[in-house]
Amino acid sequence: DEKATAAELKVLHKTIKKIEEDTERYSFNTAVSTFMICVNELSDLKCHKKEILEQVLIMLTPYAPHICEELWSLLGNTGSILDASF
């Protein structure tokens, strides 16, 4: 439950921007690639913060809804990830 660092937030916001653009253009392959880049960058930063991981899961939900629902509950959230705001 620590606060995210500036570097972690930068990775998150860069990913959000790219995912939104790719989804609007129906460029799903590049969106999946962006998720992989995001996870690698967050791993390099050793980020395990709920604040960041929840947002990544919300973005990933349209692409992998079942696993996101499971991970959402493992993060301690009640209710469905489908009810979370993007």
Side-chain angles (χ1 to χ4, degrees):
D1 288 334
E2 300 173 27
K3 294 300 265 177
T5 65
E8 293 165 345
L9 287 172
K10 182 177 180 179
V11 170
L12 175 66
H13 290 207
K14 179 177 64 170
T15 303
I16 290 171
K17 183 177 187 290
K18 183 80 167 87
I19 293 296
E20 284 180 347
E21 291 171 355
D22 289 344
T23 302
E24 286 176 7
R25 286 180 296 158
Y26 300 105
S27 299
F28 302 122
N29 289 337
T30 56
V32 171
S33 173
T34 301
F35 282 120
M36 292 168 43
I37 292 167
C38 174
V39 168
N40 289 337
E41 289 178 354
L42 291 174
S43 294
D44 290 344
L45 294 171
K46 304 215 182 328
C47 176
H48 302 289
K49 296 180 176 101
K50 186 175 180 178
E51 177 183 1
I52 300 292
L53 298 177
E54 283 180 340
Q55 297 302 312
V56 172
L57 278 178
I58 291 169
M59 284 188 296
L60 185 61
T61 298
Y63 296 89
H66 297 94
I67 190 67
C68 288
E69 190 70 46
E70 292 294 322
L71 293 172
W72 184 256
S73 66
L74 288 175
L75 283 175
N77 295 301
T78 58
S80 175
I81 192 169
L82 299 175
D83 296 328
S85 62
F86 182 72

